Amino acid sequence: MKRNLGILALICVLALFSSCNSTNKTDKIKNLADSTVKVDYLVVANNVLKSVKEKDFTAFVEFIHPTEGVRFSVSAQVDVKSDKTLTKEQILDLNKSKKKTKWGIHEAIGDPINLNISDYFAQYFYDVDYLKLAKTQLNTSTINPTSPSNIKEIYPNLEFVEFYYPGDGNKNSGLDWTNLTLVFKNEGDKTYLVGVIHSEWTP
C-alpha cells in the first residue's frame, strides 16, 4: 500500500513539473512585447537590420505593423505628409517589380527622391554597416544642429533605437556622419516596426 502511495505521489510530482516546464516554454516563445516581459528593443532592432543587410525582404516585412505599415523618413524632421508609408504587401510588390516610387523630399535641394526600393534601402536605410560601426542607444537622439529631430512629437510614447555612425575621422571633416532610427510600437503581445528615420549632414 505504501509503495502504491509513493508511486502515486511521484506521478503527481512529475505531472506538475511537466506542466510547469510546458508553461515556461510557452512563455519563452511569446513575443518580448508581452506585458509581463521586458522587450529588448536593441535585439529587435538588430534583427531588423540583419534582414535589411542581407536584403531579405521576406524576413524584413515580418517586423512591420499589419495595419499601420511603416513610415520611411529621409530626414530627422519626420514629415507625415511627404514621407512614404508602406504596408508589408506594398514592400514585397515594390521589391518584386523594381518600380521606382517617391519616398520624400531631398532635404538639401528640395527635389523629390524617386528610387526603387533596393536603391532606397542602399542610400537611406543601410548606407553604412550600422551593425558593426554604429553607436547604439535606446530612446535617445544624438543632437545634430543641422538636422534636429522631431521624433518625440511624431511618435509620442513609442520606443526607438538609434544607430549613430559618427563618420570616418580621416574623411570629410566629420561631415560623413549618418543616423538611423527605428521606431517600435507594442500592440498586444507583439512589437512592430512603424518608423525608419534616416538623417545625415546637409549643407
Side-chain angles (χ1 to χ4, degrees):
M1 180 69 176
K2 291 183 179 179
R3 181 181 179 186
N4 290 339
L5 289 175
I7 293 174
L8 180 60
L10 178 60
I11 291 173
C12 290
V13 170
L14 291 174
L16 180 61
F17 176 80
S18 177
S19 175
C20 292
N21 190 46
S22 177
T23 300
N24 288 337
K25 287 182 179 178
T26 301
D27 290 342
K28 287 179 181 179
I29 63 175
K30 282 185 177 180
N31 186 282
L32 291 176
D34 190 310
S35 59
T36 63
V37 180
K38 185 177 180 180
V39 181
D40 191 335
Y41 292 99
L42 298 181
V43 170
V44 179
N46 280 339
N47 287 335
V48 171
L49 288 191
K50 285 177 184 176
S51 69
V52 176
K53 181 178 181 178
E54 295 169 2
K55 300 180 181 180
D56 187 345
F57 284 90
T58 301
F60 171 69
V61 298
E62 290 305 309
F63 294 99
I64 296 173
H65 194 283
T67 57
E68 295 181 20
V70 57
R71 178 188 291 118
F72 295 91
S73 303
V74 296
S75 164
Q77 276 289 308
V78 177
D79 188 331
V80 296
K81 293 183 179 180
S82 66
D83 292 346
K84 190 73 172 179
T85 298
L86 296 171
T87 64
K88 59 196 308 183
E89 293 79 15
Q90 289 172 325
I91 288 175
L92 291 175
D93 287 344
L94 284 172
N95 181 50
K96 183 178 180 180
S97 68
K98 308 303 179 184
K99 179 182 177 181
K100 289 185 177 181
T101 188
K102 180 181 176 181
W103 297 88
I105 304 298
H106 196 288
E107 189 176 19
I109 58 180
D111 288 346
I113 298 172
N114 294 308
L115 297 167
N116 64 43
I117 194 168
S118 294
D119 288 342
Y120 180 84
F121 273 38
Q123 294 182 41
Y124 292 97
F125 201 152
Y126 209 80
D127 51 321
V128 300
D129 195 347
Y130 291 104
L131 288 171
K132 289 185 177 180
L133 303 176
K135 299 177 180 179
T136 310
Q137 53 188 0
L138 178 64
N139 295 331
T140 302
S141 296
T142 300
I143 298 175
N144 295 300
T146 62
S147 188
S149 172
N150 63 346
I151 187 171
K152 293 184 178 180
E153 289 73 30
I154 302 300
Y155 299 105
N157 304 317
L158 296 189
E159 312 290 339
F160 61 91
V161 176
E162 179 194 78
F163 294 84
Y164 177 69
Y165 171 62
D168 185 335
N170 299 319
K171 298 179 181 179
N172 301 319
S173 302
L175 300 181
D176 56 336
W177 63 265
T178 62
N179 187 316
L180 182 74
T181 303
L182 305 181
V183 186
F184 296 99
K185 180 177 183 179
N186 291 334
E187 196 168 278
D189 62 348
K190 301 289 185 179
T191 298
Y192 294 111
L193 177 69
V194 294
V196 177
I197 306 169
H198 178 276
S199 62
E200 59 189 10
W201 182 86
T202 54

